[in-house]
Amino acid sequence: MESREIPQFRYIVRIAGTDIDGKMKLVWGLASIKGIGYSTALAVARILGLNPEMLIGYLTEEQVSKIESVIQDLTKLGLPSWMYNRRNDIESGVNLHLIGSDLLLYARRDIEREIKIGSWRGARHKLGYKVRGQRTRTTGRLGMTVGVRKKRTGQPQKQEKTSK
């Protein structure tokens, strides 16, 4: 009889620079990485032949390294272009899928470019207003809220009647 070695359970697994709780299922754990959503995580699990329902804590070091290598370059997997989070990059013109701090850096760079060229979106970003057409009359306020003030409710004044 061949004895299969059961992998040691780990309570925290580090994948792509993110600490993931070992008690989470594989798909939801991968989705907790910034830039990876549920659909992308499910695609990664299926491509690697892993059970999406398994707990992340039972992954071996070899499986973790495979997941990291796949996540680092998702464009080589042959996923449809609508699954990428940066299609037709402005600088390079190619489809990219960014994760982690790269995603944040690119987003910040896009905002700075909008501000620099003086577009409407850039002006809204610069002033700290809402950018995508939301209402600003009542929401998005900072500081003390401005509400409706009630009139002072004191003793009603008696009015003298004048008789003729």
Side-chain angles (χ1 to χ4, degrees):
M1 249 212 266
E2 225 178 276
S3 64
R4 284 179 59 176
E5 200 174 299
I6 298 174
Q8 184 69 27
F9 185 80
R10 295 181 291 172
Y11 287 95
I12 294 178
V13 179
R14 189 161 182 85
I15 300 176
T18 305
D19 290 336
I20 302 171
D21 184 13
K23 295 182 244 173
M24 293 179 84
K25 292 184 179 179
L26 178 64
V27 177
W28 289 109
L30 290 178
S32 67
I33 298 171
K34 190 168 282 298
I36 303 286
Y38 183 83
S39 299
T40 308
L42 190 60
V44 168
R46 287 183 177 160
I47 285 171
L48 293 176
L50 298 172
N51 180 10
E53 297 294 314
M54 76 180 290
L55 297 181
I56 284 201
Y58 288 117
L59 288 175
T60 62
E61 285 297 327
E62 179 183 316
Q63 290 171 330
V64 170
S65 63
K66 281 182 183 178
I67 290 171
E68 282 186 345
S69 64
V70 167
I71 286 176
Q72 291 304 323
D73 198 9
L74 283 171
T75 56
K76 291 184 180 175
L77 294 181
L79 298 175
S81 63
W82 55 264
M83 286 188 81
Y84 300 136
N85 60 10
R86 190 165 180 85
R87 295 177 292 278
N88 295 330
D89 183 38
I90 290 193
E91 295 167 2
S92 62
V94 297
N95 295 328
L96 299 173
H97 193 89
L98 305 171
I99 59 167
S101 61
D102 291 341
L103 185 63
L104 300 174
L105 291 173
Y106 270 78
R108 183 69 211 151
R109 212 162 53 184
D110 289 343
I111 292 170
E112 289 172 359
R113 181 177 33 78
E114 293 276 350
I115 291 171
K116 185 178 176 183
I117 64 174
S119 69
W120 179 256
R121 288 182 62 192
R124 302 290 289 181
H125 273 296
K126 189 175 183 178
L127 294 171
Y129 293 152
K130 299 199 179 252
V131 176
R132 296 185 178 182
Q134 299 96 325
R135 132 184 320 262
T136 56
R137 180 177 178 179
T138 56
T139 63
R141 295 179 178 172
L142 298 175
M144 290 184 58
T145 57
V146 179
V148 178
R149 239 193 311 179
K150 292 184 179 180
K151 289 184 179 178
R152 189 186 313 186
T153 56
Q155 293 284 340
Q157 299 287 330
K158 287 187 178 181
Q159 293 180 355
E160 293 181 22
K161 290 185 178 180
T162 57
S163 59
K164 291 185 179 180

